[in-house]
Amino acid sequence: MRIETFRGFGGVALSVERHGSPEDPGVVLVHTGGRRSSDWRQTAEALVAAGRHVLCPDLRGHGLSARPADGRYDLEAYAEDLRALLRSLPTRPVIVGVAMGAAIALAAIADEGAHLAAGVVVAGVAPILDPDAVRQLARSRRFDATGDRRWTTGLDITDLERTLDSVLGQIRLPILILHGADNPLVSRDARDAMARRAPHARHVEVEGAAHDVAADQPEQFQAHLLEFLETEAPRDPQAYHAGSDVRTLRDALGCFGTGVTVVTTVDQNGAPVGLTANSFTSVSLDPPLLLFCLARTAGSLAAFEASSTFAVNVLHIGQQPTSDRFARRSEDRFAETAFEAWHDGVPALVGSLAVFLCRKHAVHDGGDHRIFVGEVIRARFEPRRDPLLYFRGRYRRLHFA
């Protein structure tokens, strides 16, 4: 076991325990409020014995993790912390969370975070909670396990219920939902409501367990968890066959390392438009053609289809923040990005490793993507910089032989 530090939301220094070999399939265990990562050690040992690599983060304000200077302990802050950890991993793990940790896990993999995990196991949560039982539990966990009078933090129950209600229906990952049969926070009606919102999930009631299933019935909890892992995230090499899980194909394609680009154009009002893409390649030198692919669901698709010109900005290793900025949904991705207006006002990002300004040559159907082929009419590059690389779900650095 080793303890490391990573940076969470807002730069908060967070602690994480690592168990086992990083070469094994990953499992991330997220503790509940008022607890700490070390509470997971028994479960971690069982998972390592079963051939898993286990990571146990301390939530912000808990255990060895720092307390945020801005006092942010809302669900989104916790979820962004977890996403930061998930983005640092070479493969997609299964996320396991209990109670507050379960809510954080679900919030982290909602929407655009779904590609960060291979599955999720949650216990002790529902979209309807008994408020009196929640308050009583919060009072009993006023201090953390070290007894150092460090305040532990919880979530607003209304925010928690609202998030769970909306998130459960979105998740399409394999999911196991465990309920303690004696949990005072979650009534039978609440469990039924959760089943309706997540009909694709596997639901299990654990006898003799209350709010914290993992602590109340550790052997049963570990048995259900290991069964789920062996079924949904087996240790054997994964294989994709036509018609099977598309996420497996996505992971296989992720084994091809690529550079990272931001493709840009302008919309019908002349406003700059751009997003991160790594589906970029040269096509021909005579004529000078290149292509990139854009998902049909992309909000900027219409702008690229309507525009006669676009640019491909190849990013260098110092532009990872730019890549992250243009990969997220934002009202104005260019507000913090220096750029020049080239032909037709198309943005060229200042300082990029290379910029290719293109006249649209052709647009082809590519299944759930559109393929844009451009003829290069202007290019600029900086040969003294190293490229930003992307491989198996994370950024990489170039190592020379």
Side-chain angles (χ1 to χ4, degrees):
M1 187 269 289
R2 55 201 179 280
I3 298 177
E4 301 175 1
T5 300
F6 71 100
R7 293 289 172 182
F9 179 63
V12 177
L14 303 174
S15 175
V16 59
E17 286 190 5
R18 287 182 179 264
H19 303 259
S21 171
E23 299 302 318
D24 291 330
V27 181
V28 176
L29 305 178
V30 187
H31 65 78
T32 187
R35 298 292 177 83
R36 58 191 307 167
S37 60
S38 57
D39 293 339
W40 283 115
R41 286 179 184 167
Q42 181 182 357
T43 299
E45 290 173 1
L47 291 172
V48 170
R52 303 286 167 166
H53 176 220
V54 184
L55 299 98
C56 308
D58 276 323
L59 298 178
R60 53 175 52 206
H62 292 67
L64 298 178
S65 289
R67 299 168 68 178
D70 60 3
R72 286 283 301 272
Y73 290 107
D74 54 276
L75 184 58
E76 184 58 24
Y78 282 118
E80 282 293 342
D81 288 341
L82 181 54
R83 290 186 196 113
L85 175 62
L86 298 177
R87 292 190 188 104
S88 73
L89 303 179
T91 57
R92 296 181 299 122
V94 171
I95 309 175
V96 182
V98 171
M100 190 173 98
I104 294 167
L106 292 172
I109 60 174
D111 299 323
E112 297 178 357
H115 69 283
L116 297 174
V120 60
V121 177
V122 295
V125 290
I128 305 171
L129 299 174
D130 184 299
D132 293 332
V134 170
R135 283 190 289 271
Q136 182 177 353
L137 180 67
R139 285 194 296 269
S140 70
R141 292 185 178 171
R142 196 170 189 177
F143 307 110
D144 74 0
T146 66
D148 64 1
R149 299 185 65 81
R150 213 170 164 196
W151 291 98
T152 59
T153 53
L155 304 176
D156 178 82
I157 186 172
T158 302
D159 183 36
L160 178 62
E161 291 178 337
R162 186 187 306 113
T163 300
L164 288 174
D165 192 46
S166 62
V167 165
L168 283 170
Q170 300 175 15
I171 296 175
R172 292 295 176 264
L173 297 172
I175 179 171
L176 170 64
I177 299 176
L178 300 172
H179 288 297
D182 303 322
N183 187 354
L185 276 67
V186 182
S187 66
R188 174 62 61 185
D189 289 343
R191 296 173 205 175
D192 292 343
M194 196 163 187
R196 290 193 298 272
R197 288 165 174 80
H200 62 290
R202 187 186 310 173
H203 296 261
V204 176
E205 186 171 286
V206 180
E207 295 294 333
H211 182 57
D212 191 341
V213 176
D216 296 338
Q217 293 293 335
E219 291 186 1
Q220 289 190 57
F221 175 80
Q222 292 166 24
H224 289 301
L225 174 57
L226 288 169
E227 180 185 11
F228 177 81
L229 291 173
E230 291 304 316
T231 302
E232 303 295 345
R235 295 189 68 253
D236 294 335
Q238 293 181 297
Y240 171 80
H241 303 282
S244 62
D245 186 1
V246 71
R247 293 190 308 276
T248 305
L249 176 59
R250 181 173 183 165
D251 285 349
L253 293 171
C255 292
F256 180 67
T258 69
V260 181
T261 75
V262 169
V263 292
T264 55
T265 189
V266 292
D267 63 18
Q268 60 182 359
N269 298 317
V273 173
L275 73 165
T276 301
N278 66 343
S279 55
F280 162 72
T281 187
S282 63
V283 175
S284 167
L285 288 178
D286 186 16
L289 303 178
L290 54 76
L291 69 78
F292 73 91
C293 301
L294 192 59
R296 290 182 179 274
T297 56
S300 54
L301 177 62
F304 278 94
E305 289 185 322
S307 179
S308 61
T309 51
F310 62 81
V312 177
N313 303 266
V314 181
L315 304 186
H316 62 73
I317 198 166
Q319 290 179 300
Q320 182 175 328
T322 300
S323 174
D324 289 337
R325 186 180 310 124
F326 280 83
R328 295 191 298 264
R329 295 185 184 276
S330 172
E331 291 184 2
D332 189 358
R333 293 165 171 163
F334 291 88
E336 301 178 28
T337 307
F339 66 94
E340 302 169 351
W342 280 14
H343 184 72
D344 290 341
V346 173
L349 303 191
V350 173
S352 295
L353 181 64
V355 182
F356 300 93
L357 178 67
C358 301
R359 181 184 300 112
K360 187 189 297 179
H361 180 79
V363 180
H364 301 287
D365 179 49
D368 59 5
H369 280 62
R370 295 282 280 168
I371 303 170
F372 290 81
V373 181
E375 180 179 359
V376 179
I377 56 177
R378 179 181 177 184
R380 180 179 69 193
F381 66 99
E382 172 51 75
R384 292 169 294 182
R385 297 183 184 273
D386 288 338
L388 179 63
L389 303 179
Y390 200 72
F391 173 67
R392 293 179 65 184
R394 64 183 297 186
Y395 295 109
R396 308 284 180 156
R397 293 179 180 271
L398 186 65
H399 296 281
F400 294 96

